[in-house]
């Protein structure tokens, strides 16, 4: 009997405890509007730039090769130094070419003598033919001999000129200004006309080129922006280019875009652009890899939206929240066109005066009740606003 009474008392105690719990299935109490930080958007003229990979190439390159065969007698230049166009670089043994000139000069004199004799013979035959003292055949033969002698004379003079050119080519000069490489031959080496390997290479590096690579898809996107009037630049002014070197330092001088190759690679889908830079201090050297920021112009009615305020939907679209007049959050899909610093450049989806939610959007959804609080964003991308909601108290520090 005592055991049954004890069991009954325990059941009554549990039932009494359950009756003291909140009703409605234990639902939490209703919450108020979510406090969010907002900034007001304002359209402005935004510079439009793109960043492209690039490689430094010489403004001009000349590979020095001999035009005649000969033994290198003298190397005149200083290796890895600066040379000017016309400076003597190499001297080859020229004795064989001096002898060739002497032989060619003798051949010219011999041809001139033969021409003079043929001229006299023709004149004599012409006078005799006028009195019928010689036959017409004799006159024709004299004329033919004169023409042959004159041709031989011209050949001899041409061979003399060739010999002189060959002699001049024993002195090898610089074809352009620039910095010359190390010599691939030494004194006493045999140089061969039109040999495969160059004796030395001269590179002009002031000014200097930077070859850039961009995708054809990006080219079409920029072209569409220009045609739609969203991107413009001053007519006749070449785009300026700023370089970032391999060590992260910005190159002190800006360059200009000179040309774009109107052929797209069939393998990579890219095309090449070329910019030119002044390089008096020889900071840029051929072969260096750089990053180039190309100024495409300005977008007159664009918005700068902090990157922290933009999210991606499941379909990959860029979205953000704005605070409506009825104090609710509204989800917007936007169109971006590149970035500037810590901001996205937005060209569609927002308007002047929109209050953009930049803080607290992680706690809201489309249509949620909100309490907007004016905020500011520093250059470091940190949101600063005064929190006055419950739990922080009046005059709480900025966050």
């Amino acid at each position: 009997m005592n055991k049954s009474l004890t069991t009954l008392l325990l059941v009554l105690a549990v039932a009494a405890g359950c009756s003291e719990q909140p009703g409605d299935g234990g639902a939490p109490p209703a919450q108020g509007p979510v406090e969010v930080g907002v900034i007001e958007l304002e359209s402005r003229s935004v510079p439009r730039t793109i960043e492209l990979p690039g490689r430094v190439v010489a403004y001009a390159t000349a590979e020095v090769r001999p035009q005649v065969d000969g033994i290198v007698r003298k190397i005149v230049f200083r290796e890895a130094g600066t040379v000017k166009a016309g400076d003597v670089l190499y001297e080859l043994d020229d004795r064989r070419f001096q002898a060739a000139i002497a032989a060619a000069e003798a051949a010219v004199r011999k041809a001139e003598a033969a021409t003079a004799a043929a001229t006299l013979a023709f004149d004599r035959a012409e006078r005799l033919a006028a009195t019928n003292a010689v036959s017409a055949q004799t006159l024709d033969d004299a004329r033919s001999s004169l023409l042959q002698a004159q041709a031989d004379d011209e050949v001899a003079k041409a061979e003399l000129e060739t010999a002189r050119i060959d002699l001049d080519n024993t002195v090898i000069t610089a074809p352009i200004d620039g910095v010359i490489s190390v010599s691939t031959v030494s004194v006493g080496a045999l140089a061969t006309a039109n040999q495969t390997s160059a004796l030395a290479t001269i590179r002009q590096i002031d000014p200097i080129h930077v070859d850039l690579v961009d995708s054809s898809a990006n080219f079409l996107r920029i072209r569409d922006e220009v045609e739609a009037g969203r991107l413009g630049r001053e007519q006749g002014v070449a785009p300026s280019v700023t370089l970032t070197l391999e060590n992260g330092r910005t190159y002190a001088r800006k360059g200009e875009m000179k040309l774009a190759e109107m052929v797209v690679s069939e393998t990579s889908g890219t095309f090449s652009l070329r910019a030119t830079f002044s390089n008096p201090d020889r900071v840029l050297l051929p072969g260096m890899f750089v990053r180039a920021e190309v100024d495409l112009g300005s977008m007159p009615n664009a918005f700068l939206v902090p990157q922290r305020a933009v999210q991606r939907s499941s379909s990959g679209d860029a979205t953000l929240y704005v605070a409506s007049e009825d104090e609710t959050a509204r989800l917007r899909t936007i169109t971006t066109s590149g970035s500037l610093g810590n901001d996205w450049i937005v060209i569609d989806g927002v308007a002047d005066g929109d209050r953009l939610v930049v803080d607290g959007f992680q706690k809201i959804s489309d249509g949620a009740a909100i309490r907007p609080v004016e905020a500011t964003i520093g250059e470091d991308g940190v949101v600063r606003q005064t929190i006055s909601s419950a739990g922080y108290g009046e005059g709480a520090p900025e966050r």
Side-chain angles (χ1 to χ4, degrees):
M1 190 68 180
N2 290 337
K3 184 176 180 180
S4 300
L5 180 61
T6 301
T7 301
L8 178 62
L9 290 176
L10 288 174
V11 170
L12 293 175
V14 171
C18 293
S19 65
E20 294 177 0
Q21 298 300 320
D24 299 329
Q31 296 182 356
V34 177
E35 186 174 80
V36 296
V38 298
I39 60 173
E40 185 172 334
L41 293 178
E42 180 182 0
S43 62
R44 66 188 71 183
S45 179
V46 178
R48 177 76 160 88
T49 61
I50 55 172
E51 187 173 292
L52 302 174
R55 192 169 190 174
V56 181
V57 296
Y59 188 83
T61 302
E63 294 183 338
V64 180
R65 288 185 173 86
Q67 300 300 306
V68 294
D69 299 341
I71 300 298
V72 178
R73 187 177 63 185
K74 189 175 183 181
I75 298 177
V76 181
F77 67 93
R78 181 173 60 87
E79 294 178 318
T82 301
V83 296
K84 297 290 184 181
D87 286 354
V88 176
L89 305 179
Y90 297 90
E91 293 181 3
L92 305 181
D93 187 359
D94 62 356
R95 290 174 297 175
R96 178 165 58 90
F97 301 98
Q98 293 282 6
I101 285 182
E105 289 174 343
V108 168
R109 289 193 296 270
K110 181 179 179 180
E112 288 175 345
T115 301
T119 301
L120 292 175
F122 174 73
D123 291 342
R124 185 181 308 110
E126 192 173 35
R127 288 194 303 270
L128 294 173
T131 60
N132 295 322
V134 295
S135 64
Q137 181 64 46
T138 302
L139 179 61
D140 291 340
D141 291 343
R143 180 182 291 108
S144 176
S145 298
L146 175 59
L147 293 175
Q148 182 66 45
Q150 290 174 340
D152 291 342
D153 189 11
E154 291 176 0
V155 169
K157 290 178 179 178
E159 290 177 348
L160 174 60
E161 183 62 25
T162 300
R164 288 172 176 167
I165 292 173
D166 288 342
L167 178 63
D168 291 341
N169 285 334
T170 60
V171 178
I172 302 174
T173 60
I176 61 173
D177 299 347
V179 177
I180 193 167
S181 67
V182 175
S183 176
T184 61
V185 297
S186 59
V187 173
L190 174 64
T192 305
N194 302 318
Q195 63 186 38
T196 303
S197 60
L199 300 178
T201 302
I202 302 174
R203 297 178 178 87
Q204 188 174 347
I205 60 174
D206 183 27
I208 199 166
H209 289 317
V210 174
D211 285 349
L212 310 174
V213 178
D214 195 8
S215 67
S216 57
N218 198 33
F219 169 76
L220 294 175
R221 188 181 305 113
I222 294 170
R223 184 170 182 173
D224 290 342
E225 291 178 358
V226 173
E227 292 178 350
R230 295 193 297 264
L231 177 63
R233 62 176 306 103
E234 186 179 348
Q235 292 291 333
V237 178
S240 63
V241 185
T242 303
L243 289 185
T244 301
L245 305 179
E246 292 173 301
N247 60 358
R249 182 167 63 89
T250 300
Y251 184 59
R253 294 173 173 82
K254 288 190 175 183
E256 288 187 353
M257 191 66 66
K258 289 298 184 182
L259 60 91
E261 188 175 5
M262 292 294 98
V263 177
V264 177
S265 171
E266 296 180 0
T267 56
S268 62
T270 60
F271 67 100
S272 299
L273 304 96
R274 172 165 286 181
T276 303
F277 291 80
S278 175
N279 190 35
D281 301 326
R282 302 183 187 177
V283 174
L284 301 178
L285 298 177
M288 279 185 173
F289 288 99
V290 293
R291 299 290 300 180
E293 186 178 83
V294 183
D295 178 14
L296 299 177
S298 61
M299 311 186 77
N301 297 303
F303 297 86
L304 292 179
V305 172
Q307 292 184 4
R308 61 172 287 128
V310 178
Q311 306 174 79
R312 292 287 175 179
S313 67
S314 58
S315 60
D317 296 329
T319 62
L320 51 73
Y321 284 101
V322 296
S324 65
E325 295 296 332
D326 59 357
E327 304 296 289
T328 59
R330 297 300 177 189
L331 185 66
R332 298 270 186 89
T333 300
I334 60 173
T335 303
T336 62
S337 181
S339 62
L340 181 64
N342 294 321
D343 299 324
W344 289 115
I345 302 174
V346 179
I347 59 177
D348 191 24
V350 292
D352 283 316
D354 281 348
R355 293 182 296 170
L356 172 67
V357 178
V358 295
D359 192 32
F361 52 83
Q362 302 90 342
K363 299 177 291 184
I364 61 177
S365 59
D366 189 24
I370 57 175
R371 182 165 65 250
V373 176
E374 294 295 328
T376 58
I377 299 180
E379 294 182 357
D380 53 2
V382 176
V383 177
R384 295 176 174 83
Q385 67 185 61
T386 301
I387 302 300
S388 58
S389 59
Y392 289 94
E394 295 291 338
E398 296 181 340
R399 65 174 184 179

